[in-house]
Amino acid sequence: MRSTLVLNPVENFPFPEDIAVASGYLHGLYNTDQQRSREERIGTDMQFAGRGDITRDSRLAYSAWARALGAADATLRLLSGLQAHAVLFMGLARPGQRVLQLPVEAGGHVVGSRILERLGLEVTQMAVDDKAMCVDLDRTLARCETDPPDFVFVDRSEGLVVEDFAPLTGSGAVTIFDASQYLSNIIAGDHPNPFGAGFDLLVSSVHKNFPGPQKALLATREDDERWRQVLAGVSTYVSNMHVANTYAATLTLGRADWLMTYSKRMLACAVLLEDLLIENGVPAVERPRDAVPTHHVWIREGSRERAFATFEALEQCGLLTNYRKLPYSLGFGLRLGLSAAVRVGLQESDMPRLAELIAAIRRQGPTDMLVRAGRAFSEAIWQQGEAGT
């Protein structure tokens, strides 16, 4: 891996010392995160002995995550983001209810609607403004008046800037925001908190934007009957809470000062890289500068074939991006993200060289010289991170 640089927004590198706990005995145990009295334990159908300390630690971990997110409560029983989606709606929704969802064309998750429809829910898509690269809120709110949703689900996998979805949280529907692509930035205060915008529930993986283990969380703005319904569903549909990864994720959460620097550097590098790519003749999509940026960078190519050729050439030179169809009718291109690269050592001062490499590889292809240059650059970034510079 040291001769490559991960430049896509859905992968990251946990700290080896934080995930060391995951190699221990905890993986073999069934655990609970519900603290009960002796009488309550007697009244259950099943109990495992010797789990009191783990239960206590899990609750401490949940409290730490709730404080970091400005939430009333949180749970980390879930293993991945899509599992969290399925379990959340299995616990809350009934077949036939309507979900207003962010469509793939506006940056929504590519399989989100499949999960909802498989559970018997009716999916209505938000309206899209391709020119402004955002949701058309006026048209979307008009749809809500015609067909009021029971749930509003913003599952945002793509986007160059933070959008304001607050107008969608006042309809009386249960509102849910997926923060997987923005978790570190929200914790650091560099992105607005979805609870502040009125969202009821937050779901997130902790292994994308946040450099933790394979794990997901749910958090709530209010500790109410709806949240107890969510927790009941989680207890029913998740048999093993994979507690070792809860420890690991919370150890990383404890790196508060590092997370603040990491978040700001991630966003600064993304904006700078975009500008420098454009200066070097690479057709990067320019984000609106009057909004809060994300760490995503898009390169728009003229055809599917050209997009894959650029993707493939960068891969051969050790720069690992994400080939895909871009939102807002932009066609095929590359999706880049700076989270993993910044995690291992990338800094703002490295952006000119990275932009020059991407431009040269796109223009000339993976020549022997550029293969060596790309891999040398990647190794230097890893060394820079290990040296703490």
Side-chain angles (χ1 to χ4, degrees), residues 69-333:
L69 293 168
D73 195 17
T75 178
L76 275 78
R77 289 182 66 97
L78 293 307
L79 185 59
S80 70
L82 287 181
Q83 184 204 29
H85 292 179
V87 169
L88 175 60
F89 280 97
M90 287 168 69
L92 277 184
R94 300 186 306 275
Q97 288 188 303
R98 182 176 292 111
V99 182
L100 177 67
Q101 186 191 27
L102 185 71
V104 174
E105 293 77 14
H109 198 287
V110 293
V111 299
S113 60
R114 298 183 198 175
I115 293 174
L116 301 176
E117 290 170 350
R118 182 65 181 84
L119 294 175
L121 298 168
E122 180 183 336
V123 178
T124 302
Q125 303 287 359
M126 299 177 192
V128 183
D129 184 339
D130 283 342
K131 184 177 180 181
M133 294 195 300
C134 65
V135 166
D136 187 324
L137 286 173
D138 290 338
R139 290 169 54 207
T140 298
L141 289 169
R143 290 180 184 180
C144 292
E145 292 181 5
T146 303
D147 296 305
D150 299 290
F151 300 89
V152 173
F153 187 30
V154 179
D155 177 18
R156 199 153 184 258
S157 293
E158 304 279 6
L160 298 178
V161 297
V162 175
E163 286 188 55
D164 181 12
F165 294 101
L168 300 177
T169 65
S171 65
V174 179
T175 51
I176 304 161
F177 187 90
D178 188 316
S180 298
Q181 296 288 345
Y182 320 105
L183 186 60
S184 296
N185 308 124
I186 291 169
I187 291 170
D190 295 323
H191 278 187
N193 191 308
F195 291 131
F199 280 88
D200 299 310
L201 297 166
L202 183 147
V203 58
S204 181
S205 63
V206 301
H207 49 260
K208 292 181 181 176
N209 179 279
F210 186 87
Q214 293 289 315
K215 196 68 173 164
L217 64 85
L218 291 169
T220 182
R221 183 164 53 91
E222 296 182 4
D223 188 356
D224 52 12
E225 183 56 38
R226 178 174 53 227
W227 179 241
R228 287 184 279 278
Q229 186 179 349
V230 170
L231 294 180
V234 170
S235 295
T236 300
Y237 302 121
V238 182
S239 62
N240 192 323
M241 55 188 279
H242 301 273
V243 70
N245 285 2
T246 297
Y247 280 98
T250 310
L251 287 170
T252 305
L253 180 65
R255 299 173 179 269
D257 292 341
W258 181 89
L259 283 168
M260 296 288 285
T261 301
Y262 167 68
S263 171
K264 288 175 172 56
R265 181 169 292 161
M266 190 195 316
L267 301 179
C269 283
V271 174
L272 185 55
L273 179 60
E274 177 187 298
D275 289 341
L276 291 168
L277 286 173
I278 293 171
E279 286 182 16
N280 280 273
V282 178
V285 178
E286 189 170 359
R287 76 189 75 216
R289 294 308 168 95
D290 58 349
V292 177
T294 72
H295 72 103
H296 291 217
V297 178
W298 295 342
I299 296 175
R300 181 186 186 185
E301 296 286 10
S303 68
R304 178 195 293 261
E305 291 74 19
R306 179 60 198 266
F308 194 82
T310 302
F311 163 79
E312 199 171 36
L314 290 170
E315 179 184 28
Q316 292 176 37
C317 295
L319 303 181
L320 309 183
T321 65
N322 186 200
Y323 158 79
R324 64 171 302 154
K325 188 176 182 180
L326 299 174
Y328 308 117
S329 301
L330 292 172
F332 278 87

